[in-house]
Amino acid sequence: MYCTLLIQNCGQLLTMGSVGPGPLRGAQLSNWEVLEDAFLACQDGVIVSVGPMSELPAGFIGPETQVIDAAGRVVMPGLVECHTHLVFAGNRAHEFQRKLRGESYLDILASGGGILSTVRATRAAAEEELLANALYHLEGFRRYGITTLEAKSGYGLDRETELRLVRVAREAGRQQTVRVVPTFLGAHVVPPEFKGRPADYLNFLAEEVLPELQGEAEFVDIFCEEGAFSVADSRRYLEKAQALGFGLKIHAEQLHDLGGSAMAAELGAVSVDHCDYLSAADAARVAAQELTVAVLLPLVPLFLRQQQYAPGRQLIEQGVPVALSTDFNPGSCPSKNLWLAQSVACLNMGFTPREALAAVTINAAWAINRQHDCGSLEPGKRADVLVLDVRSYEELPYWLGENPVRQVIIGGQVQPA
């Protein structure tokens, strides 16, 4: 059988192959297989075989086979970006100056800035502008080797705009090759129209907006934090979303230890995100829920100049499955560089290079329920593959901030440089 795409002479083929029925945890994060001097064969966009070059079947190469010579370079799965706020208008460069003068994230939010300033710009933007912005950012993500990306709404905070943001995310996914997984984050903060009435706003979302998103958004998310939504209100809202068939996510323990992560994990959330202030006791409660992934976002405290990073080493040692993401957004992380996020996770969260790589591939896929067809290089999975300009995976977090991507393959198709 001829294959349609063959990548040969891979110096290191990072398989990230599954070693159990759930996301990688503990020692598993480091124990995935590296094949030396290897090949990867694809047929019609699907991986059909991986192995050492010495076992490459002669019949794999036919007249129509596209052959890529990795020439001893690292080859790995496409990156999975499991927490982004992709669709918005404007930027908050002016607020960056305020941060540099010492104002906190919550101070800026309380003054009508932060999320609310992006809400004003996003509500005023035409759908065509939002789509153009999303496509521009997706192109940037692709160049960094992201092949699947979660996109949250959350900068509308009203029915019309929030539905538009989900619609734009889906359309952006259709118009280019990076796969987009939409998440509804209408419960980002309380909008001006509901000021002082968070429970009323959540009831409005549950009754007026969520029913229209069935089949459009896969997950429902909420920001459980001081200045946003309480644990009790978040629980009631997530339970309503779950009853409508949505998967659950939560922003929690970013700035304070409120208990939102443990609550969402008990409800079966696919991920609990941020976790900077997650306690050891609540981490144990998250670890007990076998399929809940803690998504850590190291570029956020870096950009906000905060000293508190998520306790990555502790979470790994407690058996919590962990993933890494940029949290790309206009306020607390205007960066698409998931390679930099890995470096910062190694420097400030206690990750090893192997753990960081698992956290941006197979575990990130688990965090958006895409583990069945991406995140690892295994027969039967979609052929999302990166050829990198390094000879060893150990170099990846070492070259601080650099983009090592030489070639991106999505669904078996080599992408333009």
Side-chain angles (χ1 to χ4, degrees), residues 36-56:
E36 306 276 352
D37 188 24
F39 74 90
L40 180 145
C42 311
Q43 180 67 40
D44 298 326
V46 176
I47 299 169
V48 294
S49 183
V50 298
M53 285 296 297
S54 60
E55 297 178 9
L56 174 65

Side-chain angles (χ1 to χ4, degrees), residues 142-414:
R142 184 182 63 79
R143 292 180 183 277
Y144 277 119
I146 282 85
T147 56
T148 297
L149 175 142
E150 185 250 22
K152 302 179 190 294
S153 71
Y155 290 121
L157 307 186
D158 62 20
R159 177 182 174 279
E160 179 184 347
T161 313
E162 285 295 321
L163 293 175
R164 182 188 308 143
L165 296 180
V166 173
R167 185 166 62 245
V168 166
R170 290 176 63 84
E171 181 59 26
R174 284 190 284 264
Q175 290 194 19
Q176 48 74 64
T177 53
V178 176
R179 178 168 47 184
V180 174
V181 179
T183 290
F184 178 64
L185 183 59
H188 203 173
V189 295
V190 181
E193 297 85 352
F194 286 84
K195 186 175 182 179
R197 298 185 292 131
D200 289 344
Y201 177 57
L202 294 178
N203 286 336
F204 160 73
L205 292 179
E207 295 169 8
E208 302 293 333
V209 185
L210 290 187
E212 296 201 40
L213 288 167
Q214 290 175 298
E216 298 296 315
E218 185 166 341
F219 302 103
V220 166
D221 200 342
I222 188 168
F223 186 24
C224 179
E225 183 55 76
E226 291 185 11
F229 301 99
S230 70
V231 174
D233 284 346
S234 297
R235 176 187 285 276
R236 285 190 289 269
Y237 176 69
L238 291 177
E239 287 175 339
K240 291 176 181 178
Q242 191 172 52
L244 290 171
F246 293 98
L248 305 183
K249 289 176 165 285
I250 193 169
H251 288 54
E253 276 68 64
Q254 178 182 359
L255 303 169
H256 303 89
D257 178 12
L258 302 183
S261 295
M263 175 274 293
E266 289 170 5
L267 292 179
V270 69
S271 74
V272 295
D273 298 35
H274 284 289
C275 303
D276 294 2
Y277 286 83
L278 183 63
S279 69
D282 278 357
R285 295 167 70 187
V286 174
Q289 306 300 316
E290 295 183 357
L291 301 183
T292 299
V293 178
V295 177
L296 312 184
L297 309 165
L299 297 186
V300 174
L302 178 70
F303 186 75
L304 296 180
R305 300 196 301 174
Q306 296 169 340
Q307 299 302 309
Q308 181 78 20
Y309 284 79
R313 184 82 259 133
Q314 171 196 309
L315 297 179
I316 292 169
E317 291 176 357
Q318 285 191 264
V320 177
V322 292
L324 294 170
S325 171
T326 60
D327 190 14
F328 172 71
N329 73 82
S332 60
C333 185
S335 173
K336 307 176 185 73
N337 192 340
L338 196 49
W339 303 102
L340 178 60
Q342 292 176 67
S343 298
V344 176
C346 291
L347 292 169
N348 290 340
M349 291 181 171
F351 279 70
T352 67
R354 272 183 172 257
E355 291 166 344
L357 284 164
V360 296
T361 52
I362 187 60
N363 272 17
W366 275 97
I368 54 173
N369 197 29
R370 289 298 183 278
Q371 68 279 357
H372 55 282
D373 71 346
C374 71
S376 63
L377 301 180
E378 300 176 90
K381 287 200 171 185
R382 200 170 78 142
D384 293 348
V385 190
L386 306 180
V387 180
L388 307 181
D389 261 329
V390 297
R391 303 282 169 171
S392 168
Y393 70 83
E394 293 178 340
E395 295 184 53
L396 295 171
Y398 166 75
W399 294 112
L400 191 65
E402 291 199 14
N403 182 2
V405 174
R406 182 182 182 89
Q407 286 180 299
V408 178
I409 296 101
I410 301 179
Q413 300 297 313
V414 179

